[in-house]
Amino acid sequence: MKKMLLGALIAFASACTPAQQEMTREQLVQRGEYLVTAIGGCNDCHTPMTPTGPDMTQSLHGAELMFAPTIEMPWAPYAPTLAGGPAGYTEEQFVAFLQTGVRPDGSQARPPMPQFRVNEDDARAMVAYINALPPPPAQ
Ligand code: HEC
């Protein structure tokens, strides 16, 4: 009985202080930067490539891919602009896309865009970072 009460107390205490709520916006964006640049590899496709790696002065501005498939398959040769938020996505739709791989219109992005299945906290951090990036200058 005592054990159950203790368990309930711990569960209550952790429900009151989820990690996400303790994070400031700045910390959330920093975590997003780590997930996007160090884990997600988003810049490898969505940022113009140079011989020494993605040009981070144009981070997630959109880019032609530097590689192509060796077999025939559905394929998108261009990775669109993400900086400032992908066109036509609300913040919630972008979070959902990173959790499910499903676009706002119900379709899925073509390869080589990975079908990410990140958890909600990570998706929110990634979206906070990407949406805060300066978008490319208007053309
Ligand atoms: C291997 C290359 C590659 C990587 C890595 C990659 N993408 Fe993509 N992404 C693409 C391509 C190509 C498309 C376009 C797909 C299409 O047109 O069907 C795309 C499409 C998207 C779209 C859909 C935009 C739309 O118009 O609906 C979003 C959002 C997106 N990527 C976000 C990301 C994020 C965030 C990351 C990192 C976590 C990432 N991508 C990593 C290649 C990539």
Side-chain angles (χ1 to χ4, degrees), residues 45-58:
C45 295
H46 288 269
T47 300
M49 191 52 81
T50 76
T52 53
D55 174 3
M56 293 301 281
T57 66
Q58 300 183 64

Side-chain angles (χ1 to χ4, degrees), residues 72-117:
E72 217 172 295
M73 62 187 293
W75 188 257
Y78 186 82
T81 303
L82 302 178
Y89 285 64
T90 65
E91 201 167 313
E92 290 305 314
Q93 286 170 334
F94 193 9
V95 168
F97 175 77
L98 293 178
Q99 291 179 270
T100 61
V102 180
R103 284 183 171 132
D105 69 0
S107 69
Q108 291 176 337
R110 288 165 293 171
M113 174 60 199
Q115 298 273 316
F116 288 107
R117 297 283 188 277

Side-chain angles (χ1 to χ4, degrees), residues 13-91:
S14 48
C16 288
T17 53
Q20 204 73 68
Q21 270 174 23
E22 284 171 7
M23 266 195 218
T24 63
R25 186 79 189 171
E26 201 187 330
Q27 286 167 329
L28 187 68
V29 168
Q30 265 173 23
R31 174 153 177 77
E33 176 173 18
Y34 164 71
L35 291 167
V36 165
T37 59
I39 307 221
C42 318
N43 285 290
D44 288 349
C45 295
H46 288 269
T47 300
M49 191 52 81
T50 76
T52 53
D55 174 3
M56 293 301 281
T57 66
Q58 300 183 64
S59 184
L60 304 184
H61 281 191
E64 289 295 338
L65 296 180
M66 58 156 178
F67 52 88
T70 57
I71 57 166
E72 217 172 295
M73 62 187 293
W75 188 257
Y78 186 82
T81 303
L82 302 178
Y89 285 64
T90 65
E91 201 167 313

Side-chain angles (χ1 to χ4, degrees), residues 117-138:
R117 297 283 188 277
V118 307
N119 68 33
E120 188 184 340
D121 285 354
D122 288 350
R124 291 201 179 280
M126 292 161 86
V127 167
Y129 168 68
I130 293 171
N131 286 8
L133 277 180

